[in-house]
Amino acid sequence: MSRSVPMVDLKAQYRRIKPEIDAAIQGVVESTQFVRGEKCREFEAAFAEYCGVDHACGVANGTDALTLALRALGVERGDEVITVANTFIATGEAILLNEATPIFVDVDPATFTMDPDKLEAAFTPRTKVIIPVHLYGHPAAMRAICEVAEAHGVKVLEDAAQAHGASIGGRRAGALGFAATFSFYPGKNLGAYGDAGMVVSGDADFIDKVRQVANHGGGKNKYDNQVLGTNSRLDTLQAAVLLAKLSHLDEWTDERRERVAAYSRALASHPGVDCPQEADGARSAWHLYTIRCKDRESLEERLKAEGISTAVHYPRPLHLQPALSRFGGKPGDLPVTEKLCSEVLSLPLYPELPLEVLEEVAAIVASFCEAPVAG
Ligand SMILES: *Cc1c(COP(=O)(O)O)cnc(C)c1O
């Protein structure tokens, strides 16, 4: 019998909450309020509260959330934004779309997130913002990062696209810096039925600015356009779906955690596999379960032959992407990041992943890593 294990299973999730989702969608259809409106405000308030901050603005997607947050922070041509290179391209795009220059720092090999010790050397008088990425759902070392940022008078914007509900010392992603951005892309831990994103912050004026640029730079009314803006509003249908799903998020995160523990129990004793771990005081949202393996390509092929999906997050760091070549990045600039990119492999992980299937996946990974290396 051929097996087929996906990376995520959104159908399984829908089956669990079908009546709630169907009612939420039906409600919006009947209200014919398709853009913004009460449901959007309700979801913004609920998600802000979930993160532990007072203000939020829904936008069209996570890339816009980053781009518009940087614009609202006043980032402009000639400014520099410090971030990491092992992230999804959107983190870099947001910087470039504001005509600013990305400055990449290397990451901590234990958490794969921004190494605070590398920050100091990256500052120049033009540094405006730091964007740590909570990669795979694991929060970056925010306390140390914010200390350095404060000493230089720059703001910290969390890219929390993968980290809904992650926390450090009980404080959640979204409340760990000046502001944070989230993506609700369908495959994220809290996923819409289309594209959606959000900017959250404790600063009301900043969120007002985001709202203004996300809705045509409006002032007093629709036809009073004070600043250059764009159309990046949160769809009401998405807000209704997300509001229905939000009440399940913590339960789903617990189910992810249970599966992560099972993977790690099965794999931790194998010297050929490097399992992901949480830093002291950190609670990952476990968006991805990403191992390191020296012979990644062969392991990928082996799992594929067994019908098991895997993915590489990310095969090429941003400083080596052709789209960013004008900044002169070259191999060897970020040794930890580059090594990770050549070794990481994400295994299937989602709340509904049957534990017996997970055990089969883990057993194949373990047996592969025990086999003597050919040659
Ligand atoms: C998904 C993601 C984004 C972009 O979000 P979209 O909603 O797809 O635009 C940004 N940063 C990171 C780290 C992501 O994983």
Side-chain angles (χ1 to χ4, degrees), residues 320-338:
L320 303 180
Q321 288 288 2
L324 280 76
S325 62
R326 80 179 109 123
F327 300 106
K330 49 188 189 321
D333 285 351
L334 303 169
V336 181
T337 296
E338 289 166 33

Side-chain angles (χ1 to χ4, degrees), residues 368-375:
F368 173 88
C369 292
E370 254 163 25
V373 179

Side-chain angles (χ1 to χ4, degrees), residues 21-272:
I21 295 290
D22 291 356
I25 291 172
Q26 190 64 28
V28 175
V29 171
E30 274 164 22
S31 78
T32 67
Q33 169 81 59
F34 293 117
V35 176
R36 305 184 84 185
E38 190 50 43
K39 269 292 164 218
C40 287
R41 284 192 291 274
E42 228 183 289
F43 177 59
E44 285 171 346
F47 194 71
E49 191 189 342
Y50 180 83
C51 295
V53 294
D54 287 336
H55 307 283
C57 176
V59 295
N61 55 63
T63 307
D64 279 4
L66 281 164
T67 306
L68 299 174
L70 288 179
R71 178 145 358 137
L73 282 168
V75 169
E76 54 189 23
R77 182 182 302 208
D79 287 340
E80 293 178 357
V81 177
I82 301 175
T83 190
V84 291
N86 59 332
T87 178
F88 183 55
I89 186 68
T91 320
E93 284 170 332
I95 297 167
L96 270 64
L97 287 168
N98 283 288
E99 299 184 68
T101 302
I103 304 293
F104 298 110
V105 296
D106 216 344
V107 295
D108 174 350
T111 62
F112 304 8
T113 62
M114 182 178 275
D115 184 344
D117 295 338
K118 304 275 165 62
L119 266 181
E120 200 59 58
F123 276 91
T124 79
R126 294 193 295 186
T127 307
K128 197 83 175 256
V129 176
I130 303 176
I131 308 181
V133 178
H134 304 322
L135 196 72
Y136 312 151
H138 190 289
M142 290 298 291
R143 186 197 291 261
I145 291 167
C146 289
E147 262 171 29
V148 183
E150 209 164 298
H152 287 269
V154 310
K155 296 224 156 62
V156 179
L157 175 66
E158 305 168 64
D159 183 344
Q162 305 184 358
H164 320 73
S167 64
I168 303 177
R171 254 171 81 186
R172 279 190 168 147
L176 300 169
F178 173 76
T181 63
F182 288 87
S183 163
F184 304 114
Y185 181 77
K188 299 283 158 83
N189 287 25
L190 181 61
Y193 281 14
D195 277 309
M198 192 164 281
V199 184
V200 306
S201 177
D203 189 303
D205 291 341
F206 165 74
I207 291 295
D208 281 347
K209 271 190 209 141
V210 172
R211 205 176 296 286
Q212 183 179 40
V213 290
N215 195 20
H216 301 299
K220 285 192 290 293
N221 63 56
K222 204 169 168 172
Y223 303 112
D224 174 28
N225 310 107
Q226 294 284 335
V227 296
L228 177 64
T230 186
N231 172 1
S232 181
R233 297 173 300 230
L234 174 65
D235 269 2
T236 317
L237 274 168
Q238 302 310 340
V241 167
L242 290 164
L243 189 61
K245 282 189 166 194
L246 181 59
S247 57
H248 298 279
L249 182 58
D250 284 341
E251 183 193 342
W252 292 338
T253 304
D254 287 344
E255 289 169 346
R256 286 176 184 273
R257 182 168 280 290
E258 200 185 322
R259 280 150 186 78
V260 164
Y263 265 134
S264 293
R265 266 196 308 275
L267 296 174
S269 59
H270 293 272

